[in-house]
Amino acid sequence: MSVYEAVTDAAPKMIQYGHSKPVQCIALKDGRCLGASFQDGTGTLAGQLLCWDLAEGVASVYGGEMHTNMIMAVAATKDGVITCGLDDSIGFGADGMLTSKVALPSQPKGFGCGTDLAAVVTVKDTLVTVSVSKKAIVAELPKFGFEPTCVAVASNDSLCAVGGNDKVVHVLGADGKEMYALCQHKDTIACVAFSPHCDKLASGCANKEIVVWSMADGSILLKGLTGFHTARLSTFAWAPDNLTLASGGVDAQIVIWDTAEGKPKCKLPNAHLAGAVTSLVFLDGTTLLSAGMDATIKTWTIA
C-alpha cells in the first residue's frame, strides 16, 4: 500500500507492506518480528519474508536470494536468520537480505532450529541436519521406519525431537541416536517444542492432547491436557519462565497453560478467524505473538 501526504504528490511518502497469504511461521530477531509467507500476485509463487517493527506496526521486505515458493519456517540465528522453503531449500540471511540458499535432498515437511543446529524432516521420511554457522547440510539420517510429521531442536543443540504418524515422539541425541521413544499419544504427533531450559518437551497430537516430558529421563511430567482444543494441535511456544506454555490449534484457538499447576491460565477463542493458528512466540513473560491462516500477526497480553 502506498501512502501519500497529498493527492498532488508525485511519489508516496511511504510504502506499507503486509501479508496477503497465510503466515506460516513467525520468529523474533532483535526485538522485531519476522513473518514467513508467500505471494502469487504475478501468477508465480514466491516466498515472502517481512520484518515487522512491533512499536510502529510497519514492515520491511527481506530481499536478496528469495525462495521461489512458500517459506514454511523461519528462525532467528546469532548472526541473522535461517529460512526453510517449499522450493526444497534452506536460506540464510542478515540485514534484510537472504544472501545464500542450500538445496535440500527432498521437500521439507517440518523444521526446527537451535543455536547452531537446524533440522528438517522430509517427504522421504528422513531427517536432514544443517549447520547454521557453516551454512551447510551436515548429514541426512537414514530413512525412519515411520512417517515424520514435525521436528524441534533444543536451544543448546543437545537434543532433537521428531514426531511421527506412529504416535511416538522420538528424541535423538547430538550423535543422531535415539535416546527416548516417548509413547503416550493416541494419534499422529502434530507439534513438539523444547522448553527454554531444554529440560522439558511439550508434544501435541491430532487427538488434541498435550503431554509434557522430562528430558532428564524421558518420563511424563504432565499428561491429560485435553478438553480445550476442539481440533488438532498445530503449534507451541514456551514462555521465558520455563513453566508457561501456549498452544495453538487448527480450531483457531490459543490456550495458555500453567504447567506447574497442570491447568489452563486462559483461553483465546477465535484467535485467527480464517482457520489454524500456525505459529506462536513469546516476546516476553506477558506478551504473546501469534500468526494464522488469516494472514495476520497478533499480539496478546497474558495476565
Side-chain angles (χ1 to χ4, degrees):
M1 178 178 70
S2 299
V3 180
Y4 293 81
E5 282 193 323
V7 294
T8 56
D9 288 348
K13 180 181 180 181
M14 67 174 293
I15 297 176
Q16 173 63 72
Y17 298 94
H19 296 285
S20 60
K21 298 296 181 181
V23 181
Q24 301 297 322
C25 187
I26 52 176
L28 293 174
K29 177 63 177 176
D30 300 328
R32 294 171 178 257
C33 178
L34 299 166
S37 184
F38 72 98
Q39 53 189 350
D40 63 354
T42 61
T44 302
L45 287 177
Q48 183 186 51
L49 184 61
L50 298 183
C51 182
W52 290 89
D53 183 322
L54 296 174
E56 299 294 330
V58 296
S60 57
V61 177
Y62 251 72
E65 196 174 350
M66 186 50 62
H67 292 276
T68 58
N69 203 330
M70 182 180 76
I71 301 175
M72 61 170 290
V74 60
T77 67
K78 179 182 177 182
D79 299 317
V81 301
I82 180 172
T83 56
C84 183
L86 290 188
D87 58 356
D88 305 351
S89 71
I90 296 291
F92 300 91
D95 302 323
M97 299 285 287
L98 286 185
T99 54
S100 63
K101 290 197 299 183
V102 175
L104 290 167
S106 55
Q107 191 169 73
K109 292 177 62 178
F111 174 85
C113 187
T115 298
D116 191 51
L117 176 67
V120 180
V121 289
T122 75
V123 295
K124 289 188 176 180
D125 299 347
T126 62
L127 176 71
V128 178
T129 57
V130 178
S131 169
V132 174
S133 60
K134 295 179 181 178
K135 299 181 181 180
I137 291 175
V138 176
E140 182 177 9
L141 275 65
K143 186 174 180 178
F144 292 115
F146 60 92
E147 180 184 336
T149 52
C150 53
V151 63
V153 179
S155 61
N156 62 7
D157 296 339
S158 63
L159 298 170
C160 178
V162 179
N165 69 343
D166 58 352
K167 309 174 189 178
V168 177
V169 180
H170 303 264
V171 180
L172 313 179
D175 58 1
K177 296 181 180 179
E178 184 169 289
M179 294 177 59
Y180 310 124
L182 307 178
C183 305
Q184 175 65 33
H185 289 284
K186 299 178 178 64
D187 209 333
T188 298
I189 309 301
C191 50
V192 285
F194 287 98
S195 66
H197 297 173
C198 307
D199 59 337
K200 304 171 188 174
L201 177 74
S203 58
C205 69
N207 194 44
K208 309 177 289 289
E209 181 180 14
I210 298 170
V211 180
V212 179
W213 310 83
S214 168
M215 291 296 94
D217 56 8
S219 62
I220 294 175
L221 295 174
L222 193 58
K223 65 178 181 179
L225 300 184
T226 59
F228 288 84
H229 285 285
T230 59
R232 175 176 59 84
L233 275 296
S234 55
T235 186
F236 286 129
W238 286 91
D241 64 6
N242 210 58
L243 295 172
T244 304
L245 177 70
S247 61
V250 300
D251 57 359
Q253 295 189 80
I254 299 171
V255 180
I256 312 299
W257 303 87
D258 182 340
T259 63
E261 297 291 332
K263 61 183 182 181
K265 297 174 67 174
C266 64
K267 181 179 177 181
L268 306 172
N270 298 319
H272 289 274
L273 293 177
V277 179
T278 56
S279 187
L280 298 166
V281 62
F282 276 93
L283 178 63
D284 53 44
T286 58
T287 307
L288 177 72
L289 277 68
S290 67
M293 295 295 289
D294 55 359
T296 65
I297 298 172
K298 299 183 179 182
T299 60
W300 310 85
T301 299
I302 308 301

